[in-house]
Amino acid sequence: MNGSYEVTFLPSGKRVRIRRGTTVLDASRRAGLTIATRCGGKSACLMCKVRDASASQGGLSAVADNERYKLGGMHEQGYRLACQAKVLGDAQIEVPEDPLRAAVRKQLERQREEEDSLW
């Protein structure tokens, strides 16, 4: 696809080629990844936070004032709202683990460690 860019989602490694100006949220959907959102991409719920792992390469649009306000200081650590960040070049995007899944995973790991210590 001419005029397209590759977005790689971490830690899954899923990749998708999309057109310039596509939001990270739309790119994730094209890649078959789910990034949680309740507001339909209107930057109201803040659930779609991702981290631009390739921030120094300029693959995403600049942080707009509204997004900067919503993120507080998190934008300085590379965090973006997937519904607002637009792809302008090749990019690597870190998708944080869903908090509920993370809690369940940690609990299962603890249970496994306890079972291992019994034997």
Side-chain angles (χ1 to χ4, degrees):
M1 190 186 310
N2 201 13
S4 67
Y5 298 98
E6 183 175 82
V7 178
T8 304
F9 292 94
L10 304 173
S12 71
K14 288 190 177 186
R15 298 168 188 247
V16 64
R17 291 200 72 79
I18 48 91
R19 292 178 194 245
R20 178 184 176 92
T22 302
T23 65
V24 171
L25 183 61
D26 287 339
S28 72
R29 290 173 177 159
R30 296 262 326 259
L33 280 172
T34 301
I35 294 178
T37 179
R38 279 191 211 143
C39 67
K42 294 176 178 50
S43 74
C45 69
L46 303 178
M47 291 181 67
C48 66
K49 285 188 292 285
V50 295
R51 198 176 76 74
D52 183 2
S54 57
S56 62
Q57 297 175 359
L60 298 183
S61 58
V63 180
D65 289 340
N66 183 43
E67 185 181 8
R68 182 177 287 109
Y69 174 75
K70 299 259 181 182
L71 286 170
M74 293 180 73
H75 71 280
E76 294 169 2
Q77 297 150 5
Y79 283 92
R80 300 293 307 270
L81 296 177
C83 66
Q84 300 300 300
K86 294 185 178 175
V87 177
L88 303 180
D90 292 341
Q92 290 187 338
I93 306 298
E94 233 175 77
V95 180
E97 187 174 24
D98 174 84
L100 179 58
R101 280 191 178 159
V104 169
R105 181 183 49 75
K106 286 176 185 174
Q107 180 62 32
L108 291 173
E109 286 172 359
R110 267 189 243 121
Q111 286 176 346
R112 257 185 259 133
E113 288 172 9
E114 289 174 5
E115 288 173 2
D116 289 345
S117 67
L118 293 175
W119 305 108

